[in-house]
């Protein structure tokens, strides 16, 4: 292997993102969300980067961005947008998105009407 170099990793992620890499957008978003290594914790930047990857169909980015919208971290809280993103991720097979949608319907959270039948279907 090579010696760990967080600064070099950051440079390479940014370079790949500038060239349109969906994976790089997602990975940079995770780094900013967590405040990993050379990346300051910044939910606004994480949301922006998750959005770039989500718009290109990245299922994990759709799911993570949904969480940010549901919780209002880095973006204004918007449970309708969270639902849209959870549904996109669920349609691509995200088990976690199915689960979160089911919980929202079970609880009647935000824009989700309480619907135990829909919750059971999603579970």
């Amino acid at each position: 292997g090579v010696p760990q170099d967080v600064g070099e990793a950051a440079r390479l992620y940014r370079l790949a993102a500038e060239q349109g890499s969906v994976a790089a957008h997602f990975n940079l978003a995770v780094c900013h969300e967590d405040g990993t290594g050379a990346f300051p914790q910044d939910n606004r930047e994480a949301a922006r980067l998750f959005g770039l990857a989500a718009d290109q169909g990245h299922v994990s980015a759709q799911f993570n961005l949904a969480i940010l919208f549901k919780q209002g971290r880095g973006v204004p809280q918007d449970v309708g947008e969270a639902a849209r993103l959870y549904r996109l991720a669920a349609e691509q097979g995200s088990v976690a998105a199915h689960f979160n949608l089911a919980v929202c319907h079970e609880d009647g959270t935000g824009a989700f009407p309480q619907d135990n039948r829909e919750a059971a279907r999603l579970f």
Side-chain angles (χ1 to χ4, degrees):
V2 296
Q4 185 176 7
D5 185 341
V6 177
E8 180 64 3
R11 187 187 73 76
L12 292 172
Y13 273 142
R14 286 187 184 102
L15 182 62
E18 288 169 7
Q19 295 177 20
S21 168
V22 176
H25 285 133
F26 175 77
N27 289 329
L28 277 171
V30 170
C31 290
H32 280 291
E33 184 180 27
D34 296 341
T36 304
F39 301 93
Q41 198 279 328
D42 182 347
N43 284 325
R44 176 180 271 166
E45 182 63 4
R48 185 185 76 77
L49 292 163
F50 280 138
L52 292 172
D55 288 346
Q56 295 180 63
H58 193 288
V59 66
S60 295
Q62 291 166 343
F63 177 77
N64 288 14
L65 186 56
I67 291 170
L68 294 181
F69 271 107
K70 187 164 187 281
Q71 296 175 351
R73 289 191 298 127
V75 291
Q77 187 174 29
D78 184 342
V79 291
E81 181 63 5
R84 185 186 76 78
L85 290 161
Y86 280 143
R87 284 190 185 98
L88 286 174
E91 288 169 2
Q92 293 189 73
S94 169
V95 174
H98 275 276
F99 180 83
N100 282 12
L101 274 174
V103 169
C104 290
H105 281 292
E106 183 178 51
D107 296 342
T109 307
F112 301 91
Q114 186 173 18
D115 184 342
N116 289 332
R117 210 172 264 150
E118 179 64 6
R121 185 187 75 75
L122 290 165
F123 277 131

